[in-house]
Amino acid sequence: MTLKKIEINPMTRLEGHGKISVFLDEQGNVDNVFFQTVELRGYERFLTGMPIEEVPRTVSTICGVCRCVHFTAAVKAADAVYHVQPTPTARKIRELLLNAHYVEDHTAILYALGFPDFVVGPTADAGARNLIGLIQAVGADVGKLVLRKRYAAVKVIEMLGGKPIHPVAALPGGWSKRVTEQERTEILALADEMVELGELTLKVFGDVVLKNQDYMDLVTGDVYKVVCNYMGTVDDKNRVQYYDGTQRIVDTEGKEIGRFKGKDYLKHIAERVLPWSYLKVPYLKNIGWKGIVDGEGTSLYSVGPLARLNAADGMDTPLAQEAYEKMYATFGVKPVHNILAYHWARAIELLNAAEKARQLASDESITSPDIRAELWAPDEGVGVIEAVRGVLIHHYKTDDRGIVQEANLIVATTHNNGPINVAVKRAAEHFIKNGKVDDGILNLVEMAYRPYDICLACATHTLPGRLPLQLDVYDCKGELYKSLRNF
Amino acid sequence: MSEWKPNIVVFACDWCTYQGADLAGSLRYEYPANVNIIRVPCTGRVEPEFIVSALSNGADGVFVGGCHPGDCHYKEGNYKAMRRFTLLKMVLTGMGFEAERVRMEWISGSEGKRFAEIMAEFNRTIEKIGPNPFRRDSNAG
Amino acid sequence: MPDKVKLAYFLSGGCGGCDMAIIDLSETLVDVLPYLEVVFWAPTVADVKYKDLEAMPDKSIDVGLYSGMVRLSEQEHIARVMRRKCKVLVAYGACAALGGIPGMGNMHTREDIFQTAYFDTYSTDNPEGVTPQVRCVVDGKYELTLPEFYGYVRPLQHVVDVDYFSGGCPPHHSFVGQAVVAVLEGELPPPGSWITSGKAVCDVCDRNPAGRGEQRHLIQSVKRTIDGVPEEGKCLLQQGYLCLGAVTQGDCGSLCPQVNIPCRGCGGPIPGVKDFGLRAIGSIAASLEKEELVEQIPSPVKLFYRYSLPASMLGRKIK
Ligand code: SF4
Ligand code: SF4
Ligand code: SF4
Ligand code: FES
């Protein structure tokens, strides 16, 4: 069989990002598609030998965008290594930090990546689809407003964590610095701004997307749809949680098919190594490896905003709950498999996190001096949190001095590796017909993975923004016939 | 390969080890000719940078010689040197160097014979463990 | 203010945190945008292609910021292109200037890293014992390629000449703001220097004994941050927590000590210091009371070279 090979190569060798290879059959239709991740930095290896308490501030650099999640997952793992629970105050401080981070991160993603797509239109020139373009489009005043409100969240991270980008204040069993009453009132005021930002963002989403029938067709249509299982963290009422809870798995019909906590992740998840990608493909062990396919019976699962909402029964704050109900009423089904709804879910969570931050900052007991719990002999621990982009697992084994001997990290983008492959393939199949490949196709294929916000930094370290793509078309003899690139 | 002779750098305190080396010379105690002595005012002046510079410039063995404990002309210089040296050695072994490649000893001005003996011994040690692996590594590209 | 300053930004092997520090300028960013012409900002913000950058006349860009370390051949390539096109090239942030945290990868071989990632990690399922291949054929017909995973990390100056260095992981946004203003006003130090106030973290730290009229003494014990609770207001190092503030540039304003956490040196070496880790070793060892305390320091390489191993004299572990 002769195949044409198209390579969509996003700066891979340059950044070590991802790349997409499309194979066409003799008719020029899609035969197969591979989304490859070409990057590996070896954190799991070089964390060994480090004292576990130094790990949170170190792993935070896995990603400068979603740094607080690695930081938090690692300190939870460090708690587990030392067999302690953080003091109630320390837990509140950590949760506040994480929620502020959600606000900040979701804002960055939506405004830098989600909205520009819709504001200028999915097939428009990509040139304006960026933060600077958006600031120019909406005007400096609105730009400043959003940036200022986002900065409110950054400020909270800095006050609590010590540094705004890579925080340092987490310690096993607690936190290194207490919150003063003065700081609490300051944070409370900042949290109000964050809630306003959440409301503003949902309104922008409503105005730009929900009121535009063309976009709604795209959002609810079949091209950008991946039918898979979902995993997300919930509380005892099955409401979406970020800092702590139980990981719940629902199937393609929304039926609960699994629950786990901590180290039990190993009973539910395995990661398949592939010779063609640096990124492993996780799947649900109970179902067994079925390959990279979606639909009923698949063992692939998604994580992240939409997956969390799908895996839960609701939100734990009033404004977010209202928005949650509205979203599912619009689709009329649950789970929602339309991946463009990831952006919608993101906006809902932004508001949810802001409301939670406000609740936490309203609680005066957060200023208690009781921020450090006593540690026990260290050995092994798992920290699972709901990172902005999905379930994040940090697992460490230490010696009796708490020096890391082994580390295992499963980051959100890794969980989504399978579904992303499916999404990209579906879009390619839809848009590449009879060997016709033009520039617009790049955008449309890109849109298939952008909703996952492939923590471009975690797995591939690019800021939220456009993933540079190269599309190489090969003729049947494997020779380069056409090359398109957007970088 | 058999032609290879270790390149040995010695940081010698002017108040003691350097005098010891001098004495060894005048009394005609033989020590290997491939030992290059650098005179320093006190081992307390030997910064970790000096030792690593020597290694990264291709020295196969680095030796620091100073006054016996209690005899440092600047009182504390050799104690400080010892702490630095121990910590540096931990780092160097962590970076893949053999522990024997760097050595610190106290040799007074009157110990000319001992100086020569220690140098001969250090030279044998280095001959045994072979050329500076850093050089080997960077040559290999 | 002069005409618009032409700016290029490239994120290489970093985490994106350095870019975020620029976004964190927030309103200041919106204010300075009119004075900047962003001619290239990849891969994050602007849609300018590499070939556009390559086509620009040499030395036509006023300032180039390069963030992240260099590990892959294309990163090296863009570094060279940036060097040709920019009048001033800045190694921006700890990764570019020193190798950064990912530089600790230089302690391990490629084989080591593969073994961990694809075999030893607990959740790995690798029934056929495969590892990612530079070239492989799937199902007998799909030929796929991957870039090669190189063995070690380099800081920017090991690849091209660098005019300025900026420390910090990432540089604090308030400092970035000052630096941007300095650039706009053409007030730059002599080429080859770090953009820094020149002060050490200790110099700007409230805990500094000197600032409180106290003498420093030799420290009696080595503590980890899990050991005990540091006394408020007192120097961390004096209490046994190995704080590297004395040898680190303090442009962050001593952020870590402010939250009771010792400095790990992300700011880069104070002026005049070539090898951060060695100077830190010298400084910490000199402040210990007894030689035996040295043995209580866990994994010293990954402490003293947390951010700077690739830029150090030795650079990477000997294989
Ligand atoms: S210096 Fe720090 S913040 Fe900047 S890219 Fe490197 S790891 Fe990220
Ligand atoms: S050693 Fe650390 S705590 Fe002490 S003065 Fe310096 S920066 Fe501050
Ligand atoms: S105190 Fe040290 S480690 Fe912390 S931000 Fe400042 S320079 Fe970096
Ligand atoms: S004077 Fe000889 S070691 Fe100090």
Side-chain angles (χ1 to χ4, degrees):
Chain A
M1 179 173 187
T2 42
L3 294 169
K4 272 192 205 177
K5 177 178 166 193
I6 301 173
E7 235 178 43
I8 303 178
N9 186 347
M11 229 154 108
T12 50
R13 283 148 298 161
L14 182 84
E15 284 289 330
H17 289 160
K19 73 172 178 177
I20 298 170
S21 300
V22 182
F23 293 89
L24 302 186
D25 58 21
E26 277 155 359
Q27 285 73 47
N29 294 326
V30 173
D31 182 59
N32 212 342
V33 179
F34 298 84
F35 171 79
Q36 298 172 271
T37 301
V38 299
E39 210 266 329
L40 174 71
R41 275 174 300 170
Y43 272 77
E44 285 160 332
R45 190 69 187 97
F46 71 68
L47 292 173
T48 59
M50 289 179 75
I52 183 77
E53 72 275 14
E54 299 283 331
V55 168
R57 71 185 294 184
T58 305
V59 289
S60 138
T61 62
I62 288 176
C63 167
V65 180
C66 63
R67 66 276 181 184
C68 296
V69 303
H70 290 289
F71 182 71
T72 308
V75 76
K76 278 185 71 180
D79 293 341
V81 162
Y82 281 105
H83 306 281
V84 285
Q85 287 293 326
T87 68
T89 316
R91 185 193 150 124
K92 284 174 200 157
I93 297 173
R94 289 181 187 179
E95 224 179 318
L96 182 51
L97 177 104
L98 185 62
N99 278 293
H101 173 67
Y102 258 79
V103 170
E104 182 267 307
D105 191 333
H106 273 349
T107 307
I109 302 309
L110 278 168
Y111 288 86
L113 183 127
F115 290 158
D117 250 353
F118 293 108
V119 172
V120 287
T123 50
D125 175 37
R129 283 192 298 128
N130 59 53
L131 190 58
I132 291 180
L134 191 75
I135 291 174
Q136 274 153 7
V138 297
D141 287 343
V142 180
K144 272 192 187 178
L145 182 77
V146 170
L147 280 169
R148 185 172 69 233
K149 292 195 185 297
R150 171 190 165 272
Y151 185 69
V154 175
K155 185 75 202 158
V156 174
I157 296 172
E158 177 165 7
M159 283 166 77
L160 299 173
K163 282 171 74 180
I165 300 293
H166 293 304
V168 296
L171 290 175
W175 203 253
S176 71
K177 186 194 157 284
R178 62 176 290 198
V179 177
T180 62
E181 177 57 23
Q182 196 194 335
E183 284 168 331
R184 188 188 70 81
T185 29
E186 205 179 314
I187 293 172
L188 188 56
L190 295 166
D192 283 336
E193 292 210 44
M194 285 152 55
V195 174
E196 283 163 28
L197 174 63
E199 291 180 299
L200 173 76
T201 305
L202 269 171
K203 188 175 169 320
V204 173
F205 190 81
D207 291 348
V208 173
V209 183
L210 301 185
K211 292 190 182 146
N212 182 321
Q213 195 49 50
D214 290 348
Y215 293 166
M216 283 313 283
D217 290 347
L218 209 56
V219 170
T220 57
D222 278 345
V223 178
Y224 296 105
K225 194 167 178 180
V226 176
V227 177
C228 63
N229 307 290
Y230 297 96
M231 184 188 295
T233 304
V234 294
D235 65 7
D236 49 12
K237 298 198 183 84
N238 285 339
R239 297 176 305 186
V240 172
Q241 293 298 302
Y242 309 123
Y243 176 79
D244 198 26
T246 304
Q247 280 67 49
R248 185 185 196 209
I249 307 165
V250 301
D251 68 8
T252 53
E253 303 288 313
K255 198 164 87 326
E256 179 176 314
I257 52 168
R259 271 182 180 265
F260 66 89
K261 267 177 106 73
K263 208 183 161 187
D264 282 345
Y265 80 92
L266 289 170
K267 296 195 187 128
H268 293 267
I269 303 171
E271 297 175 283
R272 185 56 72 116
V273 182
L274 300 170
W276 48 270
S277 174
Y278 284 123
L279 196 63
K280 296 175 268 194
V281 178
Y283 63 93
L284 296 174
K285 263 186 161 168
N286 294 340
I287 300 179
W289 175 250
K290 296 268 192 293
I292 302 176
V293 287
D294 74 335
E296 208 183 313
T298 173
S299 60
L300 301 180
Y301 59 95
S302 297
V303 299
L306 180 63
R308 276 193 289 266
L309 268 51
N310 276 339
D313 296 341
M315 313 298 287
D316 62 358
T317 57
L319 298 174
Q321 174 63 20
E322 211 178 286
Y324 178 92
E325 285 163 14
K326 183 171 171 194
M327 182 178 108
Y328 283 101
T330 305
F331 282 98
V333 287
K334 197 175 163 212
V336 168
H337 298 298
N338 305 76
I339 57 178
L340 293 179
Y342 261 92
H343 293 312
W344 196 346
R346 198 163 275 133
I348 296 170
E349 287 189 341
L350 197 175
L351 181 57
N352 178 234
E355 287 183 278
K356 285 201 206 209
R358 188 164 63 183
Q359 280 170 8
L360 286 157
S362 311
D363 178 355
E364 283 171 24
S365 71
I366 203 169
T367 62
S368 150
D370 172 31
I371 49 169
R372 297 276 299 275
E374 200 140 339
L375 308 181
W376 299 83
D379 47 27
E380 182 177 0
V382 175
V384 185
I385 69 155
E386 209 37 75
V388 181
R389 287 152 190 83
V391 178
L392 172 63
I393 301 169
H394 279 225
H395 184 170
Y396 302 99
K397 206 176 260 178
T398 72
D399 66 6
D400 57 5
R401 294 191 310 150
I403 308 297
V404 176
Q405 306 298 308
E406 287 174 343
N408 190 27
L409 315 179
I410 307 184
V411 305
T413 299
T414 311
H415 298 289
N416 283 336
N417 196 7
I420 291 168
N421 263 287
V422 175
V424 166
K425 182 174 179 184
R426 182 140 310 138
E429 278 170 353
H430 187 84
F431 295 111
I432 301 177
K433 284 267 167 16
N434 304 321
K436 233 182 105 251
V437 182
D438 61 34
D439 274 307
I441 285 169
L442 277 175
N443 272 345
L444 292 158
V445 172
E446 251 187 293
M447 280 188 60
Y449 59 76
R450 198 174 302 118
Y452 292 99
D453 172 25
I454 307 178
C455 177
L456 298 174
C458 277
T460 69
H461 47 207
T462 314
L463 240 206
R466 302 182 45 251
L467 188 62
L469 290 176
Q470 181 173 322
L471 186 103
D472 289 335
V473 185
Y474 293 88
D475 66 16
C476 314
K477 294 182 200 79
E479 273 164 34
L480 190 67
Y481 142 80
K482 193 171 180 185
S483 184
L484 302 168
R485 45 172 22 196
N486 68 359
F487 62 91
Chain B
M1 201 55 214
S2 57
E3 294 310 304
W4 171 75
K5 282 238 173 307
N7 172 1
I8 288 172
V9 173
V10 174
F11 292 101
C13 164
D14 201 14
W15 298 89
C16 48
T17 307
Y18 190 78
Q19 306 303 328
D22 222 25
L23 185 65
S26 54
L27 296 178
R28 304 194 189 285
Y29 292 125
E30 296 228 347
Y31 63 86
N34 47 327
V35 167
N36 306 295
I37 302 182
I38 297 172
R39 192 179 350 186
V40 291
C42 169
T43 52
R45 271 297 290 126
V46 180
E47 306 276 350
E49 281 97 320
F50 295 8
I51 297 171
V52 175
S53 283
L55 288 172
S56 69
N57 284 308
D60 299 301
V62 180
F63 186 94
V64 181
C67 310
H68 284 272
D71 290 348
C72 172
H73 192 74
Y74 304 93
K75 286 212 186 84
E76 292 287 321
N78 52 1
Y79 289 112
K80 186 165 102 179
M82 192 154 67
R83 299 195 297 268
R84 283 179 166 169
F85 188 79
T86 314
L87 185 54
L88 176 66
K89 195 159 154 178
M90 276 171 73
V91 166
L92 288 175
T93 49
M95 293 291 290
F97 283 95
E98 304 84 348
E100 303 89 328
R101 209 172 278 286
V102 290
R103 181 163 166 187
M104 179 178 255
E105 289 288 345
W106 312 131
I107 304 170
S108 76
S110 59
E111 296 175 301
K113 179 150 182 265
R114 188 160 165 261
F115 177 85
E117 285 167 2
I118 290 180
M119 282 308 121
E121 188 196 314
F122 188 52
N123 188 50
R124 278 197 302 277
T125 306
I126 302 298
E127 273 176 348
K128 199 147 66 205
I129 59 177
N132 180 343
F134 185 66
R135 209 165 43 169
R136 190 178 66 213
D137 200 48
S138 41
N139 284 349
Chain C
M1 294 248 182
D3 291 348
K4 286 194 175 193
V5 170
K6 287 199 169 116
L7 181 81
Y9 186 102
F10 179 67
L11 167 63
S12 173
C15 75
C18 282
D19 301 48
M20 293 302 276
I22 295 181
I23 309 268
D24 288 349
L25 284 169
S26 283
E27 291 168 87
T28 317
L29 177 65
V30 181
D31 289 336
V32 298
L33 274 181
Y35 303 101
L36 294 176
E37 186 188 339
V38 180
V39 294
F40 179 70
W41 187 325
T44 13
V45 178
D47 184 45
V48 181
K49 300 169 182 177
Y50 297 140
K51 62 176 189 291
D52 299 334
L53 178 70
E54 281 166 23
M56 289 176 197
D58 287 358
K59 300 277 172 261
S60 64
I61 301 170
D62 295 305
V63 181
L65 300 180
Y66 189 98
S67 109
M69 48 70 178
V70 181
R71 180 159 221 160
L72 306 175
S73 57
E74 272 83 349
Q75 291 168 343
E76 182 172 347
H77 171 69
I78 298 289
R80 292 191 202 290
V81 176
M82 288 273 282
R83 176 65 283 180
R84 275 206 310 282
K85 307 299 166 187
C86 300
K87 287 183 202 138
V88 169
L89 183 64
V90 184
Y92 170 68
C95 283
L98 300 164
I101 292 220
M104 278 192 286
N106 283 9
M107 287 296 289
H108 305 278
T109 61
R110 178 183 183 275
E111 289 66 33
D112 252 8
I113 290 174
F114 266 48
Q115 180 68 28
T116 303
Y118 302 116
F119 294 98
D120 298 346
T121 28
Y122 315 122
S123 48
T124 297
D125 166 36
N126 193 352
E128 281 140 44
V130 298
T131 51
Q133 300 295 315
V134 171
R135 181 160 237 106
C136 89
V137 178
V138 179
D139 296 344
K141 53 182 175 178
Y142 310 116
E143 188 190 317
L144 297 168
T145 58
L146 286 172
E148 196 178 330
F149 180 78
Y150 285 99
Y152 57 94
V153 166
R154 281 179 295 172
L156 183 60
Q157 68 272 26
H158 288 187
V159 177
V160 292
D161 288 336
V162 171
D163 298 307
Y164 297 106
F165 300 88
S166 150
C169 175
H172 191 261
H173 58 82
S174 61
F175 178 65
V176 175
Q178 289 167 28
V180 170
V181 172
V183 168
L184 288 177
E185 293 177 347
E187 283 171 11
L188 282 168
S193 26
W194 286 72
I195 301 177
T196 171
S197 66
K199 292 193 180 120
V201 176
C202 286
D203 297 335
V204 295
C205 175
D206 293 339
R207 296 172 176 265
N208 195 332
R212 311 157 68 90
E214 291 161 16
Q215 289 284 315
R216 281 191 177 270
H217 53 77
L218 292 179
I219 57 181
Q220 328 278 324
S221 63
V222 167
K223 287 192 195 133
R224 287 160 54 182
T225 50
I226 47 166
D227 300 327
V229 176
E231 207 178 304
E232 280 294 325
K234 238 183 106 194
C235 170
L236 294 169
L237 180 59
Q238 292 281 281
Q239 300 178 62
Y241 301 100
L242 300 184
C243 181
L244 306 183
V247 292
T248 306
Q249 287 171 31
D251 302 301
C252 65
S254 80
L255 288 175
C256 301
Q258 274 171 26
V259 295
N260 304 322
I261 293 286
C263 171
R264 290 290 177 250
C266 84
I270 47 171
V273 172
K274 225 176 92 193
D275 189 304
F276 178 89
L278 294 176
R279 185 57 65 93
I281 288 166
S283 149
I284 291 291
S287 60
L288 298 178
E289 198 200 44
K290 296 191 301 273
E291 189 192 335
E292 297 75 61
L293 288 176
V294 163
E295 275 136 42
Q296 293 175 21
I297 304 176
S299 39
V301 179
K302 288 176 182 175
L303 172 65
F304 298 111
Y305 285 120
R306 180 76 49 87
Y307 293 94
S308 62
L309 185 58
S312 71
M313 284 192 226
L314 295 173
R316 62 192 143 117
K317 185 169 174 173
I318 294 159
K319 310 292 152 58

